[in-house]
Amino acid sequence: MRSDLKLGPLQYQSYLSVATGLLRVYRYPRCFEPERTWGIDVHTDSSVLSIIHQDDVGGLQVYKDHQWFDVKPLSNTLIVNIGDMLQAMSDDNYMSVKHRVKVNKHKERISIGYFVFPAEDAVIQSTKYNPFTYADFRAQVQHDLKTVGLKTGLQKFKFTTDQSS
């Protein structure tokens, strides 16, 4: 993938920093009315990559071709999600995947995710996006959540066809 992205050594090091990796454990308690709530609502990951190990309960869904698909849990299998940062770095050649997690009526669900982020001050360079840092992106996401109630993602950083002021 490194050659596909045409990253130089310094970009590679700051975009895929071991120091910025994060491990999260998600617990979704069973819910007697699963049709009334989500474990996690629709979103894309802000990371470069997300590597997920899920238990045998299921509930992860991905959005493709205008429909939702259940991701069947497979024993000893990891799921790799492309995140928003990789989408920008790759000029949209690799797309961040919309996904969500349903709760289960009978069992709790556990998943463990390892998320790879760029360094906070690494400038993401792309031909389709204005240069931005991961810190800029995170600030924009927080602003969006407070003002419109949802993450608008990379669209705020995308070059517009009309560059006039």
Side-chain angles (χ1 to χ4, degrees):
M1 181 183 299
R2 181 177 170 180
S3 61
D4 289 351
L5 295 175
K6 298 175 180 64
L7 298 178
L10 293 177
Q11 280 181 308
Y12 184 78
Q13 191 172 23
S14 65
Y15 286 0
L16 302 170
S17 174
V18 172
T20 61
L22 181 66
L23 185 69
R24 291 182 180 153
V25 177
Y26 294 96
R27 178 180 172 261
Y28 307 93
R30 69 184 183 146
C31 179
F32 294 108
E33 297 181 79
E35 63 284 346
R36 295 185 58 158
T37 189
W38 286 98
I40 296 181
D41 207 354
V42 179
H43 69 285
T44 57
D45 292 343
S46 296
S47 59
V48 177
L49 287 173
S50 304
I51 303 167
I52 308 296
H53 180 271
Q54 59 180 347
D55 62 14
D56 63 348
V57 174
L60 177 63
Q61 294 183 324
V62 295
Y63 190 73
K64 182 178 182 197
D65 299 327
H66 308 291
Q67 57 184 328
W68 288 100
F69 292 92
D70 291 320
V71 177
K72 182 181 178 189
L74 297 174
S75 184
N76 299 318
T77 301
L78 298 174
I79 298 166
V80 178
N81 280 345
I82 289 172
D84 298 334
M85 295 301 97
L86 185 55
Q87 180 175 331
M89 290 174 208
S90 72
D91 286 330
D92 295 346
N93 289 318
Y94 297 103
M95 299 300 287
S96 185
V97 62
K98 283 185 187 178
H99 57 285
R100 63 188 184 186
V101 180
K102 298 187 326 182
V103 291
N104 187 289
K105 185 174 186 172
H106 305 287
K107 289 176 138 182
E108 77 174 7
R109 179 181 193 277
I110 302 286
S111 64
I112 302 169
Y114 180 72
F115 301 86
V116 178
F117 296 96
E120 287 284 314
D121 60 350
V123 178
I124 307 300
Q125 304 273 342
S126 172
T127 63
K128 294 189 176 185
Y129 298 87
N130 292 303
F132 65 94
T133 65
Y134 183 61
D136 296 335
F137 180 79
R138 285 179 19 146
Q140 182 63 56
V141 167
Q142 291 305 309
H143 175 76
D144 293 341
L145 290 172
K146 290 175 185 169
T147 58
V148 295
L150 55 96
K151 175 182 166 188
T152 59
L154 291 171
Q155 294 307 312
K156 298 280 182 156
F157 296 96
K158 208 155 197 167
F159 284 128
T160 59
T161 53
D162 178 18
Q163 294 293 321
S164 60
S165 302

